[in-house]
């Protein structure tokens, strides 16, 4: 049987192959990827002979990304990223690894997954599983679970294979999708809003600056900002306290005032003078009790990072990740920083993790674990025996194994178990390798000493407390001495049990203090957060995981959100102070009022990272099977989308806060003033971005491409629209689809009476009504004017709701079109419009060739149909005559209109120009050989006689009229 074994990294694949083959008959060959070798050897699994093939991936084989349509920053409204389709795919730089897996999977019957035994490793396992089973669907898939790259663990795991855990993989899938959608939406929003509006001097080229947001990054930042503001807002206040000391032959005791201190100088002076007048001190209490200092819990990843920071001043990132070159003799880890939807691109990096070096070389167990207690199956005595030969702590290990010494104690239970790995502990003896750096020596020593300490007895001491009375004021002093063996403190040199000896006192004893002083001091702010403090805050709040916390901290520094001083204490930058004060409150309180720099007004609870903590709990619930992945995704994304929309609706506060810290830029395009609506369709011009419904500052509606300014495709909607909303109804005719219809509401006075106020329109080419109304009403800006008081609304079903009247030309076009369409001169409508103060109905400029007898500013009405020659002069209204069809004439005239090119809703230059003659009874003027255009300057087809349906005439000249 042929078995394909896949590890998470090349070094692990090599270690597993060496252990299983015992370096006998091991053959190596090249794969398609030059970093991922293949190792072949023979082995027996459960008594069955197998030909083993061991190879590896490099971390995640696949990436999660939006569909190509949504990947560009201007391709869609960031709010739509919460529903945009996502896909998992193998990136181009890992296609060689994929091809190797496919080729080998076709030749094998079993697939054994040797990925790290945590949730992230399980997710990578299912990525490998997907690729391999697509090439060979008959593969029998197994999972090897191990915690250390040592012979015992590897051989035991391959003989006890289990099935992969889908729940662990689902938890990671949910987290990846949530982080992608939230991070991309907020990063695009705040970057596009602020980058060009302000001069942000934290980068050399601020045009390429990305103001990134991370669901874990910002809550982590919250702890830094909160402590920073506590320090900045602190106002020193003077206080006074009374100090007392007594020196005897046995030593000196310092007594502290049990009131602590007073902020009132007068009161402090009065009490002090009372003590000076009666300085005799009387011992009122002597208490002696046993004290124990317990050893730490077994070591997990967070404690390893915290203690390395505290003891060695190593950053958490440096503890887990130290950059080295390819000459490092242990392992190299090739990491690809893939281009994401919102983060900058990083080049290939060669990284080596100090803890992982020790792990992969077999010196310590797996360093990424949440577990802090040992199971009963762990051979603790065997681990101690391996350290007997060490020149420094070997003697202490010998005492631990000696039953008569009584030093052994079963380790305590820290209460955390990730169900994957034991606590970090030594797995192989080393007195120090020549290739190790100082960091390797320090970290290995910390792991070994911590393990020996956690299985040792606590230190035992005695504490003595003495209380005295001086003039009615109480003072106390305490001293501590270790009376038994120091026990674990003998080996755990990183901790001590401080204390001082005090003289012996008995109850009722009296003495005169050696010194009695009134001292002043000032209150001090709390210190800035150290890295150990920050890790502790993140751990308590459930922000990130043991494997990612150090990365979140590093990102704050890389993206100029925080700085770290020589004492590893963090301060936020100006950019962060702004972001935290304006964006974050939207994320933690959907209905809360966003206040600029005002957390005191918002309440302390608003700053806590509850949302991310809830997400992490949900991820854990998915891994345990108590919640489903889709349930968590739906709930979390709905909540975060509401947060995003709320933050965007208050974007003015972001701009105001930004102006406090940064200078305004002249590059601002004003795009932040535009209101982005819902998607109507994919752009049919660039075919990359979406077209969305927008409402411009002047109140007009349009459907424009989000790819602007690269793509300038736009559909202008009629200027008479008062309300517009995209529906979920798609058009059955327009392609490419879907093209979603828009529910439109028109202002009654700006459209002909025979059109409905409500219309479900389509911006494709199928909606004739929308096209007609665009021609009638135009799309230009409207100048508001008041409705005269003497105009009264009509009662009944035809009652009109009269908003403020607008441009006279619009009303003129409306009346002209109504007259032409109905085929009669509607004198009632004419009188009604005149009552509104509209004196100029519509004005067409005649371009008369060679006929100077025709005035240039003559007003007329014409039919919009190309086939119909209906025409009437305005002065014919006085004689109450109707229009009649014009006969061809030699005199030519044309009605010209403003050009549509370069404008909105206007006819193109020369477009629809028609030659017109005159008909009617005005002065006997006649014109021949003429056609006419609409009031907008565009011919309108589709007009028919409503009596007989003939398109060649209207009802007023229909031969069938009255039949």
């Amino acid at each position: 049987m042929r078995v394909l074994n896949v590890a998470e990294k090349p070094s692990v694949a090599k270690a597993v192959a060496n252990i299983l083959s015992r370096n006998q008959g091991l053959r190596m060959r090249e794969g398609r990827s030059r970093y991922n070798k293949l190792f072949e050897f023979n082995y027996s699994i459960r008594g069955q002979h197998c030909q083993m093939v061991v190879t590896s991936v490099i971390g995640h084989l696949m990436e999660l990304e939006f569909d190509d349509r949504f990947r560009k920053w201007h391709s869609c409204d960031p709010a739509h990223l919460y529903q945009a389709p996502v896909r998992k795919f193998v990136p181009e730089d890992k296609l060689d690894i994929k091809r190797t897996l496919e080729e080998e999977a076709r030749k094998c019957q079993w697939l054994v997954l040797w990925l790290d035994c945590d949730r992230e490793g399980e997710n990578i396992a299912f990525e490998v599983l997907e690729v391999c089973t697509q090439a060979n669907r008959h593969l029998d898939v197994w999972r090897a679970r191990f915690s250390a790259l040592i012979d015992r663990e590897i051989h035991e795991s391959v003989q006890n294979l289990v099935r992969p855990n889908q729940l662990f993989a689902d938890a990671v899938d949910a987290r990846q999708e949530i982080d992608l959608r939230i991070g991309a939406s907020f990063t695009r929003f705040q970057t596009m809003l602020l980058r060009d509006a302000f001069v942000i001097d934290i980068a050399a080229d601020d045009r390429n600056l990305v103001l990134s947001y991370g669901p874990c990054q910002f809550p982590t930042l919250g702890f830094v900002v909160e402590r920073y503001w506590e320090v900045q807002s602190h106002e020193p206040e003077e206080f006074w306290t009374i100090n007392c000391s007594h020196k005897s032959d046995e030593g000196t005791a310092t007594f502290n005032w049990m009131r602590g201190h007073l902020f009132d100088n007068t009161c402090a002076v009065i009490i002090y003078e009372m003590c000076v007048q009666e300085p005799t001190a009387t011992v009122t209490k002597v208490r002696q009790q046993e004290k124990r200092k317990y050893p730490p819990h077994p070591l997990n990843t967070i404690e390893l990072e915290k203690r390395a920071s505290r003891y060695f001043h190593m950053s958490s990132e440096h503890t887990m990740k130290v950059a080295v070159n390819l000459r490092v003799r242990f392992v190299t880890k090739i990491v690809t920083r893939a281009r994401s939807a919102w983060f900058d691109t990083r080049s290939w990096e060669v990284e080596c993790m100090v803890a992982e070096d020790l792990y992969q070389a077999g010196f310590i167990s797996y360093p990424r674990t949440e577990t802090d207690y040992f199971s009963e199956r762990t051979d603790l005595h065997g681990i101690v025996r391996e350290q007997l030969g060490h020149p420094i702590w070997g003697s202490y290990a010998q005492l631990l194994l000696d039953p008569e010494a009584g030093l052994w104690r079963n380790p305590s239970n820290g209460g955390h178990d990730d169900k994957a790995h034991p606590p970090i502990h030594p797995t192989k003896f080393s007195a120090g390798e020549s290739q190790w750096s100082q960091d390797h020596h320090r970290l290995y020593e910390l792991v070994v000493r911590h393990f020996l300490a956690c299985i040792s007895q606590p230190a035992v001491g005695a504490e003595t407390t003495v209380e005295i009375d001086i003039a009615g004021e109480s003072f106390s002093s305490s001293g501590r001495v270790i009376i038994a063996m120091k026990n674990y403190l003998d080996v755990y040199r990183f901790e001590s049990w401080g204390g001082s000896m005090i003289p012996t006192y008995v109850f009722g004893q009296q003495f005169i203090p050696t010194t009695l002083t009134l001292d002043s001091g000032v209150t001090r702010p709390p210190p800035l957060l150290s890295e150990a403090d920050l890790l502790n805050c993140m751990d308590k709040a459930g922000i990130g995981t043991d494997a990612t916390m150090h990365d979140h901290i590093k990102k704050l520094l890389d993206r100029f959100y925080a700085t770290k001083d020589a004492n590893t204490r963090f301060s936020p930058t100006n950019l962060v102070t702004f972001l935290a004060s304006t964006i974050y409150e939207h994320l933690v309180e959907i209905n809360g009022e966003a206040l600029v720099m005002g957390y005191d007004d918002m309440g302390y609870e608003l700053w806590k990272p509850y949302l991310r903590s809830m997400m992490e709990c949900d991820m854990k619930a998915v891994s345990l099977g108590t919640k489903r992945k889709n349930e968590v995704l739906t709930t979390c994304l709905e909540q975060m989308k509401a947060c995003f929309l709320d933050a965007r609706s208050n974007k003015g506060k972001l701009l105001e806060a930004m102006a406090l810290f940064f200078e305004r830029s002249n590059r601002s395009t004003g795009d932040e003033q535009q209101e982005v609506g819902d998607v109507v369709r994919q752009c049919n011009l660039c075919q990359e971005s979406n077209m969305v419904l927008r409402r411009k500052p002047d109140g007009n509606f349009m459907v424009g491409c989000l790819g602007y300014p690269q793509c300038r495709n736009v559909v202008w909607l009629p200027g008479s629209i008062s309300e517009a909303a995209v529906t979920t109804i798609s058009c059955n005719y327009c392609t490419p689809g879907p093209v979603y219809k828009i529910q439109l509401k028109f202002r009654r006075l700006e459209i002909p009476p025979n059109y409905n106020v409500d219309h479900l329109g389509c911006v494709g080419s199928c909606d004739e009504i929308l096209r007609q109304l665009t021609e009638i009403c135009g799309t230009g800006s409207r100048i508001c004017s008041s409705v005269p008081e003497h105009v009264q609304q009509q009662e009944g079903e035809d009652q009109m709701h009269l908003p403020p009247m607008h441009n006279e030309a619009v009303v003129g076009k409306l009346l002209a079109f109504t007259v032409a369409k109905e085929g009669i001169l509607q004198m009632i409508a004419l009188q009604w419009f005149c009552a509104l103060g509209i004196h100029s109905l519509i004005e067409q400029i005649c371009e008369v060739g060679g006929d100077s007898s025709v005035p240039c500013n003559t007003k007329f009405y014409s039919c919009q149909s190309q086939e119909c020659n209906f025409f009437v002069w305005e002065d014919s209204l006085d004689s109450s005559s109707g229009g009649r069809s014009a006969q061809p004439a030699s005199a030519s005239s044309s009605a010209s209109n403003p050009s549509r090119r370069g404008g909105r809703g206007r006819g193109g230059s020369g477009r629809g120009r028609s030659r017109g003659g005159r008909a009617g009874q005005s002065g006997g003027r006649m014109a021949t050989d003429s056609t006419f255009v609409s009031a907008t300057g565009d011919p309108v087809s589709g007009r028919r006689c409503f009596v007989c349906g003939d398109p060649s005439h209207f009802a007023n000249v229909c031969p069938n009229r009255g039949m």
Side-chain angles (χ1 to χ4, degrees), residues 831-846:
Q831 295 170 3
W832 186 76
F833 278 112
C834 291
L836 293 176
I838 307 301
H839 303 297
S840 176
L841 300 177
I842 185 170
E843 198 163 295
Q844 300 284 3
I845 306 301
C846 303

Side-chain angles (χ1 to χ4, degrees), residues 521-539:
V522 293
T523 58
R524 298 183 180 275
L528 295 171
L529 287 181
S530 67
E531 188 148 0
D533 296 331
L534 185 55
L535 286 166
N536 192 50
C537 291
M538 296 172 67
D539 186 32

Side-chain angles (χ1 to χ4, degrees), residues 846-849 851 854 860-863 865-873 884-895 912-919 925-933 952:
C846 303
E847 296 179 2
V848 182
D851 187 359
V854 180
F860 64 92
Y861 300 101
S862 61
C863 178
S865 173
Q866 292 279 7
E867 294 81 14
C868 179
N869 288 335
F870 175 82
F871 181 87
V872 63
W873 293 104
R884 54 188 68 177
S885 297
Q887 301 298 325
S890 57
S892 65
S893 65
S894 63
R913 237 177 238 285
S914 59
R915 305 177 61 82
R918 297 186 177 186
R925 292 172 293 192
M926 298 291 296
T928 61
D929 194 21
S930 302
T931 58
F932 303 95
V933 296
S952 64

Side-chain angles (χ1 to χ4, degrees), residues 157-376:
S157 62
V158 77
Q159 299 299 332
N160 295 276
L161 299 173
V162 296
R163 297 297 182 182
N165 189 336
Q166 180 69 58
L167 296 177
F168 275 29
D170 286 346
V172 176
D173 283 338
R175 178 189 56 78
Q176 288 179 340
E177 184 171 342
I178 289 171
D179 289 352
L180 173 65
R181 295 184 185 277
I182 296 174
S185 61
F186 275 97
T187 298
R188 292 186 189 184
F189 161 66
Q190 64 193 29
T191 301
M192 291 190 293
L193 177 68
L194 304 173
R195 182 176 58 191
D196 289 338
F198 297 91
V199 179
I200 304 175
D201 55 0
I202 63 174
D205 184 7
D206 56 357
R207 291 301 298 263
N208 295 324
L209 177 69
V210 176
L211 302 178
S212 66
Y213 169 87
C216 285
Q217 170 187 311
F218 256 47
T220 303
L221 185 61
F223 297 119
V224 176
V225 174
E226 181 183 24
R227 177 58 62 87
Y228 176 77
W229 280 346
E230 288 181 17
V231 174
Q232 294 297 310
S233 62
H234 177 77
E235 295 183 3
E237 189 173 0
E238 190 174 13
F239 63 83
W240 290 264
T241 186
I242 301 175
N243 292 315
C244 172
S245 67
H246 178 234
K247 185 176 182 180
S248 68
D249 295 338
E250 298 180 21
T252 302
T254 299
F255 292 88
N256 298 314
W257 192 17
M258 296 184 70
R259 288 183 185 268
H261 53 259
L262 294 178
F263 292 98
D264 189 308
N265 177 254
T266 303
C267 292
V269 169
I270 293 174
I271 296 175
Y272 174 69
E273 290 179 349
M274 292 170 55
C275 293
V276 170
Q277 292 175 4
E278 299 180 13
T280 302
T282 303
V283 178
T284 59
K285 181 184 295 186
V286 178
R287 183 176 65 251
Q288 216 175 39
Q289 60 181 355
E290 183 180 270
K291 287 287 187 179
R292 291 177 177 267
K293 184 175 178 65
Y294 287 89
H297 296 305
L299 191 63
N300 60 18
T301 303
I302 304 303
E303 280 300 314
L304 175 66
E305 294 173 347
K306 287 163 57 177
R307 292 175 185 268
S309 175
R310 187 179 300 121
Y311 303 152
F312 311 133
H313 298 285
M314 292 172 59
S315 69
S316 59
E317 185 271 338
H318 185 64
T319 301
M320 301 300 291
K321 192 184 299 179
V322 176
V324 294
N325 55 36
L326 289 172
R327 291 193 296 272
V328 171
R329 297 190 183 181
F330 285 107
V331 293
T332 56
K333 180 181 180 184
I334 308 300
V335 179
T336 303
R337 299 288 192 184
R339 186 181 185 89
S340 68
W342 68 96
F343 293 143
D344 58 337
T345 304
R346 295 292 183 93
S347 62
W348 285 84
E349 293 180 0
V350 182
E351 296 177 338
C352 178
M353 301 184 180
V354 173
E356 284 207 357
D357 279 353
L358 300 174
Y359 156 65
Q360 292 166 2
F363 291 103
I364 67 172
S365 62
Y366 187 63
R368 300 181 186 275
T369 177
E370 298 176 13
T371 306
D372 54 10
Y373 77 91
F374 287 102
S375 68
E376 296 179 356

Side-chain angles (χ1 to χ4, degrees), residues 329-330 354 357-358 361 363-364 428-445:
R329 297 190 183 181
F330 285 107
V354 173
D357 279 353
L358 300 174
F363 291 103
I364 67 172
K428 188 195 304 185
F429 167 79
S430 175
E433 306 296 318
S434 60
Q435 303 93 341
W436 281 5
S437 66
Q438 184 181 26
D439 294 328
H440 288 87
H441 283 282
R442 286 175 172 178
L443 209 61
Y444 181 73
E445 179 185 1

Side-chain angles (χ1 to χ4, degrees), residues 390-411:
H390 198 278
I392 298 177
W393 53 76
S395 58
Y396 186 86
Q398 183 66 50
L399 282 176
L400 275 172
L401 296 175
D402 184 2
E404 296 181 358
L407 187 58
W408 182 278
R409 170 180 170 270
N410 288 329

Side-chain angles (χ1 to χ4, degrees), residues 671-684:
D671 288 346
E672 66 270 15
Q673 302 300 327
Q674 297 185 10
E675 184 174 340
V676 179
D678 294 326
V679 172
V680 176
R681 65 177 303 175
Q682 184 180 7
C683 180
N684 56 333

